[in-house]
């Protein structure tokens, strides 16, 4: 701040830590912003190395009845416990994020083979099926998963996320508790 004579009288310094803004407040997983950042980084690496990556979009089948019958605190507890189970199935280089509500995403960078995504999808489905104890009740859930594969980093993050989301809705329409792979493997090389 300048005084009447134009000289500096004092300085105000403001700082804020935005690192917590990139984590989901409930599950402490990467949120949409951080997940998107990691996906962009993985896409750049895929372009450099000509590698394959996968994105899995997950949604809980029938989540609303949990909130309606047991309450929102039980729904929150379910999301936290499910996040732990899902995360325990991943490799160290894979990222699980929560992008909102009961939607999660997984990034599989530098995959060896296209089948790696279906193998992981099956592990995730199995991890979600085990019963959860919520508010003194045992609840069994299932999830639906959409898979999008991208070779050589040839698509942008929003297209990949949108295709994985659409494939997840196809899995839901088929009765849930399953996965669907997006129709095409994009490759512009």
């Amino acid at each position: 701040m300048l005084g009447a004579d134009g000289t500096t009288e004092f300085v105000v310094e403001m700082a804020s830590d935005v690192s917590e803004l990139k984590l989901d407040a409930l599950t402490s997983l990467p949120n949409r912003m951080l997940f998107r950042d990691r996906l962009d980084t993985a896409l750049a690496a895929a372009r450099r190395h000509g590698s394959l990556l996968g994105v899995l979009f997950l949604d809980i089948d029938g989540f609303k009845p949990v909130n309606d019958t047991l309450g929102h605190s039980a729904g929150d507890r379910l999301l936290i416990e499910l996040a732990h189970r899902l995360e325990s199935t991943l490799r160290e280089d894979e990222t699980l994020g929560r992008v909102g509500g009961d939607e999660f995403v997984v990034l599989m960078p530098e995959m060896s083979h296209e089948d790696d995504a279906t193998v992981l999808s099956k592990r995730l489905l199995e991890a979600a099926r085990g019963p959860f104890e919520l508010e003194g009740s045992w609840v069994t859930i299932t999830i639906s998963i959409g898979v999008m594969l991208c070779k050589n980093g040839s698509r942008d993050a929003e297209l990949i996320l949108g295709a994985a989301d659409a494939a997840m809705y196809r899995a839901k329409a088929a009765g849930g508790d399953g996965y669907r792979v997006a129709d095409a493997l994009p490759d512009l090389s």
Side-chain angles (χ1 to χ4, degrees), residues 16-34 98:
S16 61
D17 180 6
V18 297
S19 60
E20 290 185 22
L21 297 177
K22 291 190 174 186
L23 296 179
D24 175 63
L26 182 65
T27 62
S28 298
L29 293 174
N31 66 11
R32 182 181 295 274
M33 182 187 326
L34 180 54
R98 179 172 173 233

Side-chain angles (χ1 to χ4, degrees), residues 19-36 38 58 78-88 90 94-106 124:
S19 60
E20 290 185 22
L21 297 177
K22 291 190 174 186
L23 296 179
D24 175 63
L26 182 65
T27 62
S28 298
L29 293 174
N31 66 11
R32 182 181 295 274
M33 182 187 326
L34 180 54
F35 185 85
R36 173 66 194 273
R38 289 186 182 173
L58 295 71
L78 174 62
L79 292 170
I80 293 166
E81 290 184 28
L82 178 61
H84 290 303
R85 285 188 192 182
L86 297 176
E87 199 166 35
S88 73
L90 303 181
E94 296 168 338
T95 298
L96 174 68
R98 179 172 173 233
V99 293
D102 61 331
E103 295 177 331
F104 295 86
V105 285
V106 175
L124 293 167

Side-chain angles (χ1 to χ4, degrees), residues 110-141:
E110 298 187 32
M111 295 168 49
S112 304
H113 192 273
E114 293 173 28
D115 290 340
D116 293 349
T118 58
V119 169
L120 177 57
S121 293
K122 290 174 184 176
R123 285 198 324 255
L124 293 167
L125 290 166
E126 188 61 34
R129 286 185 192 122
F132 295 84
E133 186 176 7
L134 305 170
E135 307 295 328
S137 297
W138 288 96
V139 175
T140 303
I141 63 157

Side-chain angles (χ1 to χ4, degrees), residues 35-36 39-44 47 53 55 148-164 186-188:
F35 185 85
R36 173 66 194 273
L39 177 54
D40 286 338
T41 301
L43 284 167
R47 280 190 289 278
L53 68 81
V55 171
M148 179 60 181
L149 302 173
C150 182
K151 191 173 181 183
N152 301 326
S154 59
R155 294 289 191 249
D156 77 4
E158 287 306 312
L159 177 66
I160 292 167
L161 287 167
D187 182 6
L188 298 180

